[in-house]
Amino acid sequence: MDVASETVVRLADPVARAAVLTADALLAIAVVAYELDPAVVTEPVTAVFDRFDVAVPLDSRATAMAQFRRTGEPVPWEVAASWDTGGVPPVAADAVWAGAVVVRTAVLDGTVVAVTADQSGVDSPVALDATVRMSPPEADPAPVPVPLPVLVAFLAAGEAPSPRELLRATTAARLGAGRYPVAVLPAGVPVRRFERLVCWVVPESTFDDPGWPGAADDTTPQQRRADRLRAARSWLAGQGVAVITTTEPT
């Protein structure tokens, strides 16, 4: 089985899905969808799958609208119609997920329990040495799970994927997700950047290609791969595109 097909099969299977949508992958999706600092996220990130469809097609219906106006009438008549084209609609996305990424963020709520101040030994009479003692970390409240609603269209790529083809397919994938309703945000969650994301699922070896920018020549192959992935995520995030990697078939 080729890499892209195995990825789609893994995504479709509720048990095997965790091998693709790991905690790191889910966090990569969340930070594109929301103004979320990954540094404050603690414990493994989990997911809620309200709906997970594979081979999501484009809409096969066409819509037309016309306006008619009689002489002297200020308001035109509007006529709209839609019909099935009769053709087989192309696949827009390999899968679409409607659900939530569940994150737990650290609450920096340490309490000041003691403050001491002494005049320092320098000549200035206003110079002070101050010591502030905070409550121990274990006294902070436990992280509370926060579900962040997401709507994600997946594009699975094979070996040596073409960025140009993935970028072209991204528009269709976003249209495929357009038929799904966007969940209302619960109170207290971070600001949502994108209501509908596109997620590229590419092999780990993709970023061994020196054509991807972001890596220095004097680092290890593993570091160059990680740096290229980080750079790609950075510029694609602004377009509502997340990037996750998966292992090749064994």
Side-chain angles (χ1 to χ4, degrees):
M1 188 182 298
D2 62 89
V3 177
S5 296
E6 179 169 312
T7 297
V8 173
V9 170
R10 286 181 178 179
L11 287 171
D13 183 86
V15 176
R17 190 177 297 153
V20 180
L21 297 180
T22 62
D24 289 341
L26 292 172
L27 182 57
I29 291 172
V31 297
V32 174
Y34 291 87
E35 292 184 1
L36 177 68
D37 183 359
V40 303
V41 176
T42 65
E43 303 184 13
V45 182
T46 56
V48 175
F49 299 103
D50 295 328
R51 183 171 178 179
F52 205 100
D53 300 335
V54 294
V56 176
L58 289 172
D59 195 348
S60 61
R61 297 186 66 81
T63 302
M65 178 177 289
Q67 289 186 345
F68 302 91
R69 185 195 303 270
R70 285 184 177 180
T71 304
E73 288 188 351
V75 180
W77 301 348
E78 292 187 353
V79 178
S82 62
W83 64 94
D84 196 316
T85 62
V88 178
V91 173
D94 292 308
V96 172
W97 164 34
V101 176
V102 182
V103 299
R104 294 163 177 81
T105 56
V107 179
L108 303 179
D109 194 29
T111 303
V112 177
V113 294
V115 178
T116 59
D118 297 306
Q119 184 173 338
S120 69
V122 298
D123 294 336
S124 174
V126 296
L128 297 175
D129 290 331
T131 302
V132 179
R133 186 161 58 88
M134 305 292 290
S135 59
E138 59 269 15
D140 292 336
V144 177
V146 178
L148 304 176
V150 292
L151 187 54
V152 185
F154 292 94
L155 292 175
E159 296 181 6
S162 165
R164 184 165 172 263
E165 292 178 359
L166 283 170
L167 286 167
R168 287 183 172 183
T170 294
T171 300
R174 208 182 304 277
L175 289 174
R179 68 181 63 183
Y180 295 78
V182 176
V184 176
L185 290 182
V189 303
V191 175
R192 181 160 55 187
R193 290 173 174 160
F194 296 97
E195 293 182 340
R196 294 176 174 86
L197 299 187
V198 176
C199 181
W200 296 359
V201 188
V202 300
E204 288 180 331
S205 58
T206 297
F207 296 100
D208 292 336
D209 188 336
W212 290 93
D217 294 334
D218 58 348
T219 57
T220 65
Q222 293 78 11
Q223 186 61 51
R224 288 195 292 271
R225 173 187 286 185
D227 290 343
R228 289 172 185 138
L229 172 59
R230 186 179 303 107
R233 282 176 168 170
S234 177
W235 62 266
L236 285 167
Q239 303 181 51
V241 177
V243 183
I244 64 176
T245 60
T246 185
T247 56
E248 293 82 348
T250 56

